[in-house]
Protein backbone atom coordinates (compact mmCIF):
# COMPACT_ATOMS: atom_id res chain seq x y z
CA UNK A 1 0.00 0.00 0.00
CA UNK A 2 1.43 3.34 -1.00
CA UNK A 3 1.30 5.94 1.73
CA UNK A 4 0.20 9.47 0.77
CA UNK A 5 2.96 12.06 0.65
CA UNK A 6 3.04 14.35 3.67
CA UNK A 7 2.09 17.94 2.95
CA UNK A 8 4.25 20.75 4.35
CA UNK A 9 2.07 23.29 6.14
CA UNK A 10 3.52 26.82 6.05
CA UNK A 11 4.16 28.31 9.50
CA UNK A 12 3.33 31.74 8.14
CA UNK A 13 1.51 33.04 5.08
CA UNK A 14 3.72 32.35 2.04
CA UNK A 15 5.07 35.28 0.12
CA UNK A 16 4.89 35.50 -3.65
CA UNK A 17 8.20 36.90 -4.84
CA UNK A 18 11.82 36.20 -3.98
CA UNK A 19 12.45 39.86 -3.13
CA UNK A 20 9.55 39.84 -0.69
CA UNK A 21 10.90 36.61 0.84
CA UNK A 22 14.26 38.32 1.38
CA UNK A 23 12.61 41.21 3.25
CA UNK A 24 10.50 38.82 5.33
CA UNK A 25 13.66 36.92 6.25
CA UNK A 26 15.58 40.05 7.27
CA UNK A 27 12.81 41.15 9.61
CA UNK A 28 11.50 37.77 10.75
CA UNK A 29 14.89 36.20 11.49
CA UNK A 30 15.97 39.12 13.68
CA UNK A 31 18.92 40.23 11.54
CA UNK A 32 20.58 43.25 13.19
CA UNK A 33 20.21 46.57 11.39
CA UNK A 34 23.98 46.83 11.04
CA UNK A 35 24.04 43.46 9.21
CA UNK A 36 20.81 43.71 7.20
CA UNK A 37 22.42 45.85 4.50
CA UNK A 38 25.14 43.25 3.81
CA UNK A 39 22.61 40.41 3.93
CA UNK A 40 20.36 42.19 1.44
CA UNK A 41 23.23 42.78 -1.00
CA UNK A 42 24.33 39.13 -0.79
CA UNK A 43 20.80 37.77 -1.21
CA UNK A 44 20.21 40.10 -4.16
CA UNK A 45 23.35 38.67 -5.77
CA UNK A 46 22.07 35.14 -5.18
CA UNK A 47 18.71 36.21 -6.63
CA UNK A 48 20.21 36.36 -10.12
CA UNK A 49 21.71 32.89 -9.77
CA UNK A 50 18.57 31.40 -8.22
CA UNK A 51 16.76 32.73 -11.29
CA UNK A 52 19.30 30.93 -13.49
CA UNK A 53 21.22 34.06 -14.54
CA UNK A 54 24.85 35.07 -13.92
CA UNK A 55 25.18 37.72 -11.21
CA UNK A 56 26.64 41.00 -12.54
CA UNK A 57 30.03 42.02 -11.18
CA UNK A 58 32.09 45.20 -11.15
CA UNK A 59 30.60 48.39 -12.64
CA UNK A 60 27.81 46.39 -14.30
CA UNK A 61 26.38 45.66 -10.86
CA UNK A 62 25.54 49.30 -10.11
CA UNK A 63 21.97 50.04 -11.08
CA UNK A 64 21.34 46.51 -12.39
CA UNK A 65 17.73 45.43 -11.85
CA UNK A 66 17.53 42.00 -10.15
CA UNK A 67 15.19 39.47 -11.73
CA UNK A 68 11.66 39.07 -10.39
CA UNK A 69 10.53 35.49 -9.80
CA UNK A 70 8.40 33.55 -7.30
CA UNK A 71 10.21 32.14 -4.29
CA UNK A 72 8.59 28.78 -5.07
CA UNK A 73 10.83 28.57 -8.16
CA UNK A 74 13.68 27.65 -5.81
CA UNK A 75 12.13 24.17 -5.67
CA UNK A 76 12.73 23.62 -9.41
CA UNK A 77 14.49 20.20 -9.61
CA UNK A 78 16.92 21.38 -12.32
CA UNK A 79 18.06 24.42 -10.31
CA UNK A 80 20.83 22.75 -8.22
CA UNK A 81 22.87 21.83 -11.31
CA UNK A 82 22.44 25.27 -12.90
CA UNK A 83 23.16 27.01 -9.62
CA UNK A 84 26.35 25.03 -9.04
CA UNK A 85 27.72 26.12 -12.43
CA UNK A 86 26.80 29.79 -11.88
CA UNK A 87 28.24 29.80 -8.36
CA UNK A 88 31.49 28.20 -9.56
CA UNK A 89 31.86 30.80 -12.32
CA UNK A 90 31.28 33.64 -9.85
CA UNK A 91 33.72 32.13 -7.35
CA UNK A 92 36.44 32.22 -10.00
CA UNK A 93 36.04 36.01 -10.28
CA UNK A 94 35.70 36.90 -6.56
CA UNK A 95 37.93 36.51 -3.52
CA UNK A 96 37.28 33.50 -1.29
CA UNK A 97 36.19 35.56 1.73
CA UNK A 98 33.42 37.28 -0.26
CA UNK A 99 32.27 34.02 -1.84
CA UNK A 100 32.13 32.23 1.51
CA UNK A 101 30.32 35.10 3.24
CA UNK A 102 27.66 35.26 0.52
CA UNK A 103 27.23 31.47 0.57
CA UNK A 104 26.78 31.45 4.35
CA UNK A 105 24.15 34.20 4.19
CA UNK A 106 22.24 32.46 1.39
CA UNK A 107 22.20 29.14 3.26
CA UNK A 108 20.81 30.81 6.37
CA UNK A 109 18.01 32.37 4.32
CA UNK A 110 17.22 29.10 2.53
CA UNK A 111 17.00 27.31 5.89
CA UNK A 112 14.67 29.97 7.28
CA UNK A 113 12.37 29.80 4.24
CA UNK A 114 12.27 26.01 4.56
CA UNK A 115 11.26 26.30 8.21
CA UNK A 116 8.44 28.64 7.17
CA UNK A 117 7.24 25.98 4.73
CA UNK A 118 7.62 28.28 1.72
CA UNK A 119 10.09 25.95 -0.04
CA UNK A 120 10.98 22.33 0.55
CA UNK A 121 14.33 21.77 -1.20
CA UNK A 122 17.85 23.14 -0.81
CA UNK A 123 19.31 24.02 -4.22
CA UNK A 124 22.72 24.73 -2.65
CA UNK A 125 23.53 21.13 -1.81
CA UNK A 126 26.94 20.39 -3.29
CA UNK A 127 28.16 23.99 -3.35
CA UNK A 128 31.22 24.09 -1.11
CA UNK A 129 33.07 26.88 0.60
CA UNK A 130 36.25 28.05 -1.08
CA UNK A 131 39.55 27.64 0.79
CA UNK A 132 40.67 31.07 2.00
CA UNK A 133 44.38 31.21 2.80
CA UNK A 134 45.15 33.60 5.66
CA UNK A 135 46.06 37.12 4.58
CA UNK A 136 49.17 38.17 6.53
CA UNK A 137 49.34 41.65 5.00
CA UNK A 138 46.01 43.17 6.04
CA UNK A 139 47.49 45.75 8.40
CA UNK A 140 48.60 48.86 6.53
CA UNK A 141 51.93 50.41 7.43
CA UNK A 142 51.86 53.75 9.21
CA UNK A 143 53.28 55.54 6.16
CA UNK A 144 50.44 54.06 4.08
CA UNK A 145 47.90 55.40 6.56
CA UNK A 146 49.61 58.81 6.36
CA UNK A 147 49.44 58.69 2.55
CA UNK A 148 45.74 57.88 2.78
CA UNK A 149 45.08 61.08 4.75
CA UNK A 150 46.83 63.09 2.04
CA UNK A 151 44.48 61.96 -0.73
CA UNK A 152 42.35 64.67 -2.29
CA UNK A 153 38.88 63.28 -1.61
CA UNK A 154 35.49 64.61 -0.56
CA UNK A 155 34.72 65.58 3.05
CA UNK A 156 32.40 62.59 3.35
CA UNK A 157 35.20 60.14 2.57
CA UNK A 158 37.75 61.94 4.75
CA UNK A 159 35.39 61.78 7.73
CA UNK A 160 34.32 58.20 7.16
CA UNK A 161 37.87 56.86 6.76
CA UNK A 162 39.15 58.79 9.78
CA UNK A 163 36.32 57.47 11.92
CA UNK A 164 36.86 53.89 10.77
CA UNK A 165 40.56 54.02 11.64
CA UNK A 166 40.27 55.98 14.88
CA UNK A 167 37.37 53.91 16.23
CA UNK A 168 38.45 50.50 14.83
CA UNK A 169 34.75 49.96 14.12
CA UNK A 170 33.29 47.84 11.34
CA UNK A 171 32.35 49.79 8.22
CA UNK A 172 28.69 48.73 8.28
CA UNK A 173 28.41 49.85 11.92
CA UNK A 174 29.67 53.35 11.09
CA UNK A 175 27.50 53.63 7.98
CA UNK A 176 24.40 52.67 10.01
CA UNK A 177 24.96 55.52 12.47
CA UNK A 178 22.46 58.36 12.61
CA UNK A 179 23.15 61.92 13.68
CA UNK A 180 21.04 61.22 16.78
CA UNK A 181 23.54 58.48 17.76
CA UNK A 182 26.52 60.86 17.85
CA UNK A 183 27.91 62.45 21.00
CA UNK A 184 30.52 64.86 19.58
CA UNK A 185 31.48 66.35 22.92
CA UNK A 186 32.45 62.89 24.18
CA UNK A 187 33.93 61.76 20.82
CA UNK A 188 31.77 58.67 20.75
CA UNK A 189 28.72 57.18 19.07
CA UNK A 190 26.08 54.55 19.81
CA UNK A 191 25.97 51.64 17.36
CA UNK A 192 24.06 48.41 16.87
CA UNK A 193 26.74 45.73 16.85
CA UNK A 194 26.69 42.10 15.71
CA UNK A 195 23.84 40.22 17.36
CA UNK A 196 21.81 43.42 17.80
CA UNK A 197 23.60 44.61 20.97
CA UNK A 198 23.86 48.36 21.58
CA UNK A 199 27.49 49.39 22.06
CA UNK A 200 29.75 52.44 21.86
CA UNK A 201 32.54 53.37 19.49
CA UNK A 202 35.08 56.09 20.32
CA UNK A 203 37.07 58.32 17.98
CA UNK A 204 39.81 60.92 18.21
CA UNK A 205 40.42 64.54 17.23
CA UNK A 206 40.66 63.85 13.48
CA UNK A 207 37.04 62.68 13.30
CA UNK A 208 35.92 65.25 15.87
CA UNK A 209 37.17 68.09 13.70
CA UNK A 210 35.58 66.78 10.50
CA UNK A 211 32.16 65.66 11.80
CA UNK A 212 30.64 69.15 12.40
CA UNK A 213 31.50 70.15 8.83
CA UNK A 214 29.98 66.95 7.44
CA UNK A 215 26.76 67.15 9.47
CA UNK A 216 26.33 70.90 8.80
CA UNK A 217 23.90 71.44 11.70
CA UNK A 218 21.64 68.55 10.74
CA UNK A 219 19.97 66.99 13.78
CA UNK A 220 18.51 63.83 12.27
CA UNK A 221 19.22 61.18 9.67
CA UNK A 222 22.35 59.40 8.43
CA UNK A 223 25.57 61.41 8.63
CA UNK A 224 27.00 59.70 5.54
CA UNK A 225 24.75 60.45 2.58
CA UNK A 226 24.70 59.83 -1.15
CA UNK A 227 25.19 62.75 -3.54
CA UNK A 228 21.67 62.52 -4.96
CA UNK A 229 18.11 62.43 -3.71
CA UNK A 230 16.94 59.04 -2.45
CA UNK A 231 15.06 57.04 -5.10
CA UNK A 232 11.42 56.15 -4.55
CA UNK A 233 10.98 53.16 -2.26
CA UNK A 234 14.06 53.82 -0.12
CA UNK A 235 13.29 52.86 3.50
CA UNK A 236 12.48 55.90 5.64
CA UNK A 237 15.27 55.06 8.09
CA UNK A 238 17.78 55.37 5.24
CA UNK A 239 16.65 58.83 4.10
CA UNK A 240 17.77 62.10 5.61
CA UNK A 241 14.54 64.00 6.49
CA UNK A 242 16.31 67.35 6.05
CA UNK A 243 18.03 66.82 2.68
CA UNK A 244 16.05 63.96 1.11
CA UNK A 245 19.30 62.13 0.31
CA UNK A 246 19.85 58.45 1.05
CA UNK A 247 22.23 56.73 3.41
CA UNK A 248 25.52 55.80 1.75
CA UNK A 249 25.56 52.05 1.13
CA UNK A 250 28.39 49.76 2.21
CA UNK A 251 28.85 48.61 -1.38
CA UNK A 252 29.25 52.15 -2.70
CA UNK A 253 31.53 53.17 0.19
CA UNK A 254 33.73 50.14 -0.53
CA UNK A 255 33.86 50.98 -4.25
CA UNK A 256 34.94 54.56 -3.55
CA UNK A 257 37.65 53.47 -1.11
CA UNK A 258 38.95 50.76 -3.44
CA UNK A 259 39.09 53.11 -6.44
CA UNK A 260 40.89 55.87 -4.52
CA UNK A 261 43.51 53.55 -3.03
CA UNK A 262 44.59 51.71 -6.18
CA UNK A 263 47.71 53.83 -6.63
CA UNK A 264 48.58 53.52 -2.94
CA UNK A 265 48.19 49.75 -3.11
CA UNK A 266 50.17 49.49 -6.36
CA UNK A 267 52.77 52.31 -6.20
CA UNK A 268 54.83 50.96 -9.12
CA UNK A 269 51.91 50.45 -11.48
CA UNK A 270 51.62 52.55 -14.62
CA UNK A 271 48.53 54.77 -15.06
CA UNK A 272 47.49 52.58 -18.01
CA UNK A 273 47.30 49.48 -15.82
CA UNK A 274 45.72 50.94 -12.69
CA UNK A 275 42.11 50.25 -13.78
CA UNK A 276 42.83 46.51 -13.78
CA UNK A 277 44.36 46.48 -10.28
CA UNK A 278 42.74 46.35 -6.85
CA UNK A 279 42.89 48.95 -4.11
CA UNK A 280 42.40 48.44 -0.38
CA UNK A 281 39.25 47.34 1.45
CA UNK A 282 37.53 49.29 4.22
CA UNK A 283 38.09 46.39 6.62
CA UNK A 284 41.82 47.03 6.44
CA UNK A 285 41.33 50.30 8.34
CA UNK A 286 39.85 48.40 11.29
CA UNK A 287 42.51 45.71 11.04
CA UNK A 288 45.28 48.33 10.87
CA UNK A 289 43.97 50.27 13.86
CA UNK A 290 43.87 47.19 16.08
CA UNK A 291 47.26 45.96 14.87
CA UNK A 292 48.86 49.34 15.55
CA UNK A 293 47.29 49.34 19.03
CA UNK A 294 48.80 45.93 19.72
CA UNK A 295 52.20 47.07 18.46
CA UNK A 296 52.07 50.06 20.80
CA UNK A 297 51.59 47.76 23.80
CA UNK A 298 47.84 48.15 24.33
CA UNK A 299 46.63 45.63 26.92
CA UNK A 300 44.53 42.62 25.97
CA UNK A 301 41.44 43.82 27.91
CA UNK A 302 41.60 47.17 26.11
CA UNK A 303 42.03 45.47 22.71
CA UNK A 304 38.98 43.33 23.46
CA UNK A 305 37.02 46.46 24.36
CA UNK A 306 38.17 48.26 21.20
CA UNK A 307 37.50 45.35 18.87
CA UNK A 308 34.37 44.23 20.75
CA UNK A 309 35.34 40.60 20.19
CA UNK A 310 34.07 38.03 22.66
CA UNK A 311 37.26 35.97 22.95
CA UNK A 312 40.99 36.57 23.24
CA UNK A 313 41.57 34.07 20.44
CA UNK A 314 39.87 36.45 18.00
CA UNK A 315 42.65 38.97 18.69
CA UNK A 316 45.39 36.70 17.34
CA UNK A 317 45.02 38.11 13.83
CA UNK A 318 45.80 41.60 15.16
CA UNK A 319 48.61 40.63 17.53
CA UNK A 320 51.00 39.85 14.69
CA UNK A 321 53.54 42.66 14.20
CA UNK A 322 52.86 44.73 11.09
CA UNK A 323 55.22 45.94 8.37
CA UNK A 324 56.85 48.81 10.29
CA UNK A 325 57.92 46.93 13.46
CA UNK A 326 59.39 44.06 11.43
CA UNK A 327 61.26 46.54 9.20
CA UNK A 328 62.66 48.32 12.26
CA UNK A 329 63.65 44.99 13.81
CA UNK A 330 65.60 43.99 10.69
CA UNK A 331 67.17 47.43 10.27
CA UNK A 332 68.37 47.56 13.89
CA UNK A 333 70.19 44.29 13.39
CA UNK A 334 71.80 45.25 10.07
CA UNK A 335 75.61 44.86 10.57
CA UNK A 336 76.33 47.60 8.04
CA UNK A 337 74.02 50.03 9.87
CA UNK A 338 75.73 49.26 13.21
CA UNK A 339 79.17 49.95 11.69
CA UNK A 340 77.98 53.35 10.41
CA UNK A 341 76.87 54.35 13.89
Amino acid sequence: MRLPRARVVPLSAPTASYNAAVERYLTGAGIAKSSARIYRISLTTWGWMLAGEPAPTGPARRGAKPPVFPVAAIDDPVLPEVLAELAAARADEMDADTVNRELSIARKAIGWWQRQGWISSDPMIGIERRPAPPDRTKALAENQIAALWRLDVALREKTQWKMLYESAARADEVLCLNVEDLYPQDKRGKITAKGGATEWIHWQSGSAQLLPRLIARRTRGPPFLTDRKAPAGTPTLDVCPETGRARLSYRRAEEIFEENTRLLANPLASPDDIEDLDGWTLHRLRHSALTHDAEDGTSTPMLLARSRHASVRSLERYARPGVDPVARHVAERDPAARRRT
Side-chain angles (χ1 to χ4, degrees):
M1 177 179 177
R2 188 173 182 179
L3 295 175
R5 185 178 179 182
R7 186 170 68 90
V8 177
V9 180
L11 295 179
S12 60
T15 184
S17 70
Y18 172 79
N19 291 339
V22 168
E23 296 304 319
R24 290 277 291 275
Y25 165 66
L26 294 177
T27 55
I31 305 300
K33 183 174 70 171
S34 60
S35 302
R37 188 180 305 275
I38 305 301
Y39 274 57
R40 186 178 288 107
I41 292 172
S42 295
L43 292 172
T44 298
T45 298
W46 276 99
W48 270 284
M49 295 187 286
L50 289 168
E53 302 177 20
T57 58
R61 185 171 177 173
R62 289 199 64 197
K65 297 291 185 182
V68 177
F69 61 96
V71 69
I74 294 176
D75 281 333
D76 187 334
V78 304
L79 181 59
E81 183 177 353
V82 174
L83 191 63
E85 292 182 3
L86 291 171
R90 175 172 171 77
D92 289 339
E93 298 180 6
M94 310 296 292
D95 65 274
D97 286 338
T98 300
V99 170
N100 292 338
R101 181 181 67 248
E102 291 180 346
L103 179 60
S104 175
I105 290 172
R107 281 185 166 149
K108 290 176 183 176
I110 290 289
W112 193 84
W113 294 329
Q114 286 178 318
R115 291 191 293 275
Q116 305 311 304
W118 299 348
I119 59 175
S120 58
S121 61
D122 180 2
M124 296 186 178
I125 292 177
I127 301 178
E128 299 180 353
R129 291 172 59 86
R130 289 296 173 111
D135 185 353
R136 303 299 190 189
T137 64
K138 280 186 176 179
L140 301 171
E142 291 179 5
N143 66 321
Q144 291 176 307
I145 293 293
L148 179 66
W149 304 149
R150 292 194 295 269
L151 288 178
D152 183 15
V153 295
L155 175 62
R156 180 186 64 189
E157 276 63 59
K158 286 183 180 179
T159 309
Q160 179 197 45
W161 301 348
K162 275 279 187 183
M163 185 175 287
L164 288 174
Y165 180 71
E166 292 182 351
S167 68
R170 297 174 179 88
D172 57 328
E173 294 171 340
V174 168
L175 291 169
C176 283
L177 280 168
N178 288 319
V179 174
E180 307 95 291
D181 302 321
L182 306 177
Y183 293 75
Q185 68 278 12
D186 299 322
K187 298 179 183 176
R188 65 182 182 181
K190 188 186 297 183
I191 63 164
T192 302
K194 279 188 174 181
T198 299
E199 296 180 352
W200 294 94
I201 61 172
H202 304 263
W203 53 80
Q204 297 168 332
S205 298
S207 301
Q209 292 170 1
L210 294 168
L211 266 174
R213 295 168 52 197
L214 178 73
I215 296 171
R217 298 183 180 179
R218 288 187 288 121
T219 59
R220 298 177 297 162
F224 300 101
L225 300 171
T226 56
D227 297 325
R228 300 177 181 177
K229 295 286 186 180
T234 303
T236 304
L237 289 175
D238 291 331
V239 179
C240 173
E242 299 179 22
T243 66
R245 289 151 59 195
R247 186 187 305 274
L248 182 68
S249 70
Y250 180 96
R251 176 175 60 81
R252 182 57 184 147
E254 184 84 302
E255 285 178 355
I256 294 171
F257 187 67
E258 190 273 331
E259 289 170 2
N260 279 278
T261 56
R262 287 176 184 172
L263 277 174
L264 298 181
N266 307 277
L268 300 181
S270 70
D272 295 335
D273 298 333
I274 202 65
E275 291 295 326
D276 298 324
L277 300 174
D278 294 328
W280 297 331
T281 63
L282 287 172
H283 177 71
R284 294 186 71 173
L285 291 176
R286 168 177 164 84
H287 193 103
S288 302
L290 294 170
T291 297
H292 296 164
D293 273 2
E295 292 169 355
D296 291 338
T298 302
S299 67
T300 298
M302 187 57 67
L303 282 175
L304 280 173
R306 283 265 282 162
S307 67
R308 287 171 286 108
H309 282 302
S311 68
V312 175
R313 185 174 181 180
S314 300
L315 294 176
E316 291 178 358
R317 72 190 76 173
Y318 309 116
R320 291 177 56 88
V323 175
D324 290 330
V326 174
R328 285 195 295 268
H329 175 84
V330 173
E332 289 167 359
R333 286 155 179 78
D334 186 342
R338 286 203 295 266
R339 284 197 296 270
R340 285 196 297 270
T341 57

